[in-house]
């Protein structure tokens, strides 16, 4: 399997995230990509750089222009006042407040984000754009008839919405790739999100659309991040009614229960007539993950790759979460089993 990877991800290097009353070193750090690359290199798979000429049209269709200019410019404005610190919001809009983009940098940060775990650094915009080029280059390879391609994206994407960042995510790489398949003339595109956390950004982007089916298996938001989205009764709206499927699972879920729901998800993908699949591949479902609560074991990741392959649909794997050194081993198990099936 080909991996597309850019070392520009390193430009996004947040110092700290706010969590449960104090600042902690960021879990989502450049080292993660090294861990993932280790797993890929051990298998001797080809690693390619993103095409610098790849069209960014799908990015502009997924994200609002004003949000993209916010991402591009906010750190420069912030650093004039706080040159030693990353940009991070400390105030957000809520019920009864105006939904407006204030002039103040603090107001803008609150308007375009939803948590305090997602610092914006000097290189966040460049790294995010490199991740988008990475996923779009990989998408082009799948479009040109590759059966499976891996986009080693960092920062991750599935929590980013049309006009907000959060959950370590800035641009929604998986959503951008799904949009690219549609722009290439395909129909019945689907996103299968297997990250531990619900992909609230992806769901919100496609919630009223029938051209991208979104299916997600994740920790029950009643007990886990992102808390405010990802419940079972969220099934889509308007023309998108029936095109969003959530499988919220309890803390401690292991392969036995997980795989039952995965088989259901695969049946939905089959019934839809999926032509191209984007897998939001988080491996933070592993028992080893320091910030998550499922109990998948190493060999379960091979089963995961095998089951995804059983769909027999050209598949783009997009990296999401996974915060422990063996993350590359789990990713490689998924991809190798997919290839072998
Ligand atoms: C991003 B992805 C840890 C608390 C959790 C946000 C989690 C974002 C996960 N300090 N904060 O879905 O893996
Ligand atoms: Zn996650």
């Amino acid at each position: 399997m080909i991996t597309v990877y850019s070392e520009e991800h390193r430009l996004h290097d947040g110092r700290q995230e706010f969590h449960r009353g104090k600042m902690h070193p960021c879990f989502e750090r450049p080292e993660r990509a090294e861990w993932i690359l280790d797993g890929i290199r051990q298998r001797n798979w080809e690693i390619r750089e993103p095409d610098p000429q790849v069209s960014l049209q799908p990015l502009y269709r997924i994200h609002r222009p004003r949000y993209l200019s916010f991402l591009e410019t906010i750190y420069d404005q912030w650093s004039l006042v706080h040159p030693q610190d990353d940009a991070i919001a400390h105030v957000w809009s809520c019920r009864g407040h105006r939904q407006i983009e204030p002039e103040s940098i603090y107001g803008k940060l609150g308007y375009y984000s939803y948590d305090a775990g997602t610092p914006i650094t000097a290189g966040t915009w460049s790294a995010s754009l490199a991740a988008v080029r990475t996923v779009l280059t990989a998408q082009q390879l799948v479009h040109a008839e590759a059966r499976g391609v891996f986009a080693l994206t960092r920062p991750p994407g599935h929590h980013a919405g049309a006009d907000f960042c959060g959950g370590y995510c800035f641009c929604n790489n998986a959503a951008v790739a799904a949009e690219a398949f549609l722009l290439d003339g395909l129909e019945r595109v689907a996103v299968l999100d297997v990250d531990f956390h619900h992909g609230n950004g992806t769901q919100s982007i496609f919630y009223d659309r029938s051209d991208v089916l979104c299916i997600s298996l994740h920790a029950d938001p009643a007990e886990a991040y992102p808390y405010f989205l990802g419940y079972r009764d969220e099934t889509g709206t308007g023309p998108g009614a029936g095109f969003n499927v959530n499988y919220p699972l309890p803390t401690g879920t292991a392969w036995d229960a997980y795989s039952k729901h995965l088989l259901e998800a695969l049946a939905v993908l089959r019934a839809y007539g999926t032509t191209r699949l984007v897998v939001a591949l988080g491996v933070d479902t592993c028992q080893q993950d320091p910030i998550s609560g499922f109990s998948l074991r190493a060999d379960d990741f091979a089963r995961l790759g095998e089951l995804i392959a059983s769909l027999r649909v050209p598949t783009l794997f997009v990296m999401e979460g996974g915060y422990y050194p063996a993350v590359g081993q789990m990713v490689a198990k998924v991809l190798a089993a997919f290839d072998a099936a």
Side-chain angles (χ1 to χ4, degrees):
M1 176 158 329
I2 296 177
T3 293
V4 183
Y5 167 76
S6 162
E7 61 174 35
E8 282 185 69
H9 74 84
R10 289 190 198 132
L11 298 168
H12 175 63
D13 192 1
R15 297 167 174 95
Q16 294 188 304
E17 60 177 81
F18 188 70
H19 183 60
R20 302 187 179 172
K22 52 179 193 289
M23 299 302 288
H24 295 258
C26 287
F27 281 94
E28 205 298 289
R29 50 181 190 270
E31 193 179 22
R32 289 185 61 243
E34 305 301 327
W35 293 340
I36 301 161
L37 273 176
D38 284 347
I40 300 297
R41 289 201 182 107
Q42 276 175 27
R43 309 272 175 154
N44 290 313
W45 285 323
E46 181 186 346
I47 302 174
R48 284 196 201 173
E49 285 188 24
D51 173 4
Q53 306 295 335
V54 76
S55 163
L56 295 176
Q57 196 195 353
L59 172 69
Y60 302 117
R61 290 179 64 104
I62 290 296
H63 292 287
R64 278 184 51 199
R66 291 197 65 92
Y67 169 64
L68 293 174
S69 17
F70 159 81
L71 282 182
E72 186 171 3
T73 58
I74 190 67
Y75 183 79
D76 286 348
Q77 296 171 55
W78 170 276
S79 66
L80 296 174
V81 197
H82 307 287
Q84 308 302 328
D85 301 301
D86 298 339
I88 200 156
H90 66 279
V91 58
W92 293 270
S93 178
C94 70
R95 279 92 30 215
H97 282 198
R98 302 275 296 272
Q99 300 301 317
I100 48 166
E101 181 188 328
E103 265 176 55
S104 151
I105 54 170
Y106 313 108
K108 283 188 199 303
L109 281 161
Y111 182 65
Y112 287 120
S113 71
Y114 73 91
D115 71 21
T118 312
I120 297 177
T121 75
T124 297
W125 170 245
S126 302
S128 300
L129 211 46
V132 166
R133 289 200 171 94
T134 297
V135 83
L136 286 173
T137 300
Q139 182 274 333
Q140 287 294 296
L141 292 173
V142 175
H143 186 60
E145 297 309 306
R147 187 173 154 249
V149 178
F150 176 49
L152 203 179
T153 42
R154 187 190 162 267
H158 72 151
H159 297 297
D163 64 354
F164 58 82
C165 57
Y168 315 153
C169 302
F170 303 92
C171 293
N172 195 314
N173 306 310
V176 167
E179 189 73 33
F181 280 121
L182 298 175
L183 286 168
D184 283 340
L186 286 149
E187 294 175 349
R188 283 169 285 121
V189 172
V191 178
L192 172 65
D193 190 324
V194 297
D195 188 279
F196 171 81
H197 305 91
H198 175 247
N200 58 297
T202 318
Q203 171 172 316
S204 70
I205 286 165
F206 296 121
Y207 206 60
D208 61 356
R209 291 171 52 170
S210 60
D211 50 358
V212 179
L213 169 66
C214 293
I215 305 192
S216 179
L217 284 81
H218 51 266
D220 189 338
E223 40 183 296
Y225 184 94
Y227 303 107
F228 300 105
L229 210 67
Y231 295 85
R232 193 181 299 278
D233 63 356
E234 298 159 11
T235 55
T237 189
F243 295 93
N244 192 83
V245 185
N246 283 330
Y247 296 98
L249 305 170
T251 304
T253 293
W255 180 249
D256 200 40
Y258 190 90
S259 59
K260 286 195 179 80
H261 293 93
L262 180 63
L263 286 170
E264 258 186 71
L266 296 175
V268 176
L269 288 164
R270 272 193 204 95
Y272 175 67
T274 305
T275 64
R276 294 293 182 277
L277 180 65
V278 178
V279 176
L281 182 61
V283 294
D284 45 5
T285 46
C286 186
Q287 186 264 329
Q288 297 176 44
D289 196 87
I291 65 168
S292 309
F294 284 176
S295 301
L296 267 55
R297 306 285 167 156
D299 287 343
D300 300 334
F301 289 91
R303 303 287 91 76
L304 176 62
E306 201 175 294
L307 285 176
I308 293 170
S310 73
L311 282 176
R312 299 273 139 203
V313 168
T315 299
L316 171 57
F317 292 91
V318 183
M319 193 66 215
E320 299 286 354
Y323 305 94
Y324 50 98
V327 65
Q329 309 306 312
M330 307 309 155
V331 168
K333 277 176 191 289
V334 173
L335 304 179
F338 177 93
D339 260 351

